[in-house]
Amino acid sequence: MGDVREPRDGATRPTLPYGRQSVTDEDIDAVAAVLRGDWLTTGPAVRQFEEELSTLAGGAATVTVTSGTAALHVAYAAAAIGAGDEVVCAPMTFVATAATAILRGATVVFADVSPETGNLLPDAAAAAMTTRTRVVSAVDYAGHPAQHDELAKIAHDGGALLLDDAAHSIGGAWQGRPVGTLADITTFSFFPTKNLTTAEGGAVASPIPDLARRAAEFRNHGLVRDPDRLRYPDEGGWHQEVHEFGLNYRLPDVLCALGSSQLRRLDRFRARRAEIHARYTAGLSDVDGVRTPVTLPGADPMWHLYALRVLDGRRRDLYEHLRANGIGVQVNYLPVYWHPVLEDLGYQRGMCPNAEQFYAEELSLPLFPDLSDADVDRVIDLVRGFF
């Protein structure tokens, strides 16, 4: 992704992606060690990675899975979401946050977002609650944690659980509490552009033992091995039962070893992402025609995106200008209910005006740990030059 070269102004220059994994020889050695061993899956590297993630998530029990999407599916299954249930969801997110709930048979009710952060607005979430609401799904957009204290109260007062889609925010904190402890159930993504990677992968964390147990069972076909929960007498070491259907969402040792190696550099990743984010803001905050991201009091973000806001309807022009100059900018995201598959279910544009305005202005600038200051300055100069 970072090796494509295009001629610009008579020169050959690398195309700069908006996100990119950071892989070192230590990462490769960690994976190779597993390949030389006896366990490729369901082995010690899985347990080690889950224990390390649990520590990072403030002690919440953690279950690894095959992707961030799988994590969401597992989380909704752990919460026993099904037909007749409602899930309140932020629309400024990747489609999987809503799709996995719909695939469980639930009805998704979209609630509007903050015009500043793109995160779920507590007042909007409260207004969307009904007696059928079982889960409120907040998203830590761009790595800035949502207002989870207020959202948790809203969810719990309505008899619902709070889910934190923390695909962008692992390693961040809100009001001094680490991501992973802010909600009843939290999902992570380890896609290559995320804050740490296992190539593909994700995890579910919960401080509630029953939710964690149900998540662990669902990601492993629903198999039950606990002798105290078996319906029939234990016939031997092979005896296991399926009480509820699950799927194979197990993350193998090979990828968990990569995750453990990456975790050792998470603080470094976090610091470098913060430096890049601050450099963009310093270089662009005085530019007429754009708005730089905000950080709310109490937020300690793990910046995954630099979500520049481009005003006066010029987002597409700036996008094309930067792309033409080798800068791989991106837009995150189309409001979920704008996708035709949601439109076919009866959702209509205009439901969440803040989210739609946020989308109309948002442009993600390159942000990843190996990005050099010179590359950041190049992006800044191109944006300033455009305006």
Side-chain angles (χ1 to χ4, degrees), residues 47-101:
R47 292 190 292 275
Q48 177 181 331
F49 188 39
E50 289 179 343
E51 289 170 2
E52 292 166 345
L53 288 170
S54 177
T55 299
L56 183 68
T62 305
V63 175
T64 53
V65 294
T66 52
S67 68
T69 299
L72 288 160
H73 194 194
V74 169
Y76 289 129
I81 291 300
D85 296 330
E86 290 181 356
V87 172
V88 173
C89 185
M92 190 48 52
T93 183
F94 186 61
V95 65
T97 312
T100 46

Side-chain angles (χ1 to χ4, degrees), residues 65-353:
V65 294
T66 52
S67 68
T69 299
L72 288 160
H73 194 194
V74 169
Y76 289 129
I81 291 300
D85 296 330
E86 290 181 356
V87 172
V88 173
C89 185
M92 190 48 52
T93 183
F94 186 61
V95 65
T97 312
T100 46
I102 294 170
L103 288 169
R104 290 283 303 173
T107 297
V108 169
V109 179
F110 291 102
D112 214 347
V113 301
S114 162
E116 293 182 307
T117 65
N119 286 335
L120 184 62
L121 272 175
D123 287 350
M129 297 281 291
T130 74
T131 56
R132 295 168 59 192
T133 304
R134 295 283 304 281
V135 170
V136 175
S137 291
V139 177
D140 297 337
Y141 180 83
H144 187 299
Q147 294 167 268
H148 289 292
D149 40 9
E150 295 180 56
L151 291 168
K153 186 177 188 308
I154 290 165
H156 296 163
D157 285 352
L161 298 171
L162 177 63
L163 183 150
D164 179 11
D165 182 342
H168 293 181
S169 62
I170 187 169
W174 173 253
Q175 303 296 348
R177 298 170 55 208
V179 169
T181 66
L182 304 172
D184 300 301
I185 195 161
T186 301
T187 63
F188 299 119
S189 172
F190 308 134
F191 188 72
T193 59
K194 297 301 196 300
N195 297 317
L196 68 95
T197 189
T198 58
E200 289 277 7
V204 178
S206 178
I208 302 173
D210 187 58
L211 287 177
R213 174 188 62 77
R214 288 176 58 83
E217 289 176 1
F218 187 84
R219 67 93 186 258
N220 190 29
H221 300 286
L223 290 168
V224 174
R225 293 188 173 93
D226 182 355
D228 294 334
R229 297 180 55 237
L230 295 177
R231 183 173 300 178
Y232 292 97
D234 188 349
E235 297 184 8
W238 66 87
H239 189 99
Q240 51 192 343
E241 301 171 349
V242 174
H243 296 175
E244 294 182 77
F245 287 122
L247 295 167
N248 177 2
Y249 279 149
R250 299 187 301 264
L251 191 65
D253 283 58
V254 178
L255 300 185
C256 286
L258 175 58
S260 289
S261 182
Q262 292 260 308
L263 270 178
R264 297 185 190 105
R265 305 201 305 285
L266 187 63
D267 286 344
R268 202 182 320 161
F269 292 161
R270 185 174 180 277
R272 181 57 186 155
R273 285 177 174 274
E275 289 173 357
I276 294 168
H277 199 278
R279 195 176 187 93
Y280 275 135
T281 296
L284 296 172
S285 58
D286 66 337
V287 176
D288 290 336
V290 303
R291 184 181 303 140
T292 54
V294 302
T295 303
L296 297 183
D300 188 4
M302 171 60 147
W303 290 116
H304 167 60
L305 301 174
Y306 190 88
L308 187 69
R309 306 284 289 281
V310 185
L311 310 180
D312 304 320
R314 303 190 71 188
R315 192 263 308 272
R316 181 166 182 170
D317 290 341
L318 179 57
Y319 171 93
E320 292 178 350
H321 168 72
L322 292 172
R323 286 266 177 161
N325 282 277
I327 308 301
V329 289
Q330 186 56 279
V331 172
N332 304 93
Y333 299 94
L334 191 76
V336 173
Y337 56 84
W338 279 23
H339 288 285
V341 66
L342 275 298
E343 185 180 56
D344 292 347
L345 293 175
Y347 296 91
Q348 297 179 353
R349 298 189 179 207
M351 295 170 53
C352 298

Side-chain angles (χ1 to χ4, degrees), residues 22-36:
S22 175
V23 175
T24 64
D25 288 341
E26 288 79 7
D27 295 332
I28 295 168
D29 290 343
V31 171
V34 172
L35 291 172
R36 295 188 185 100

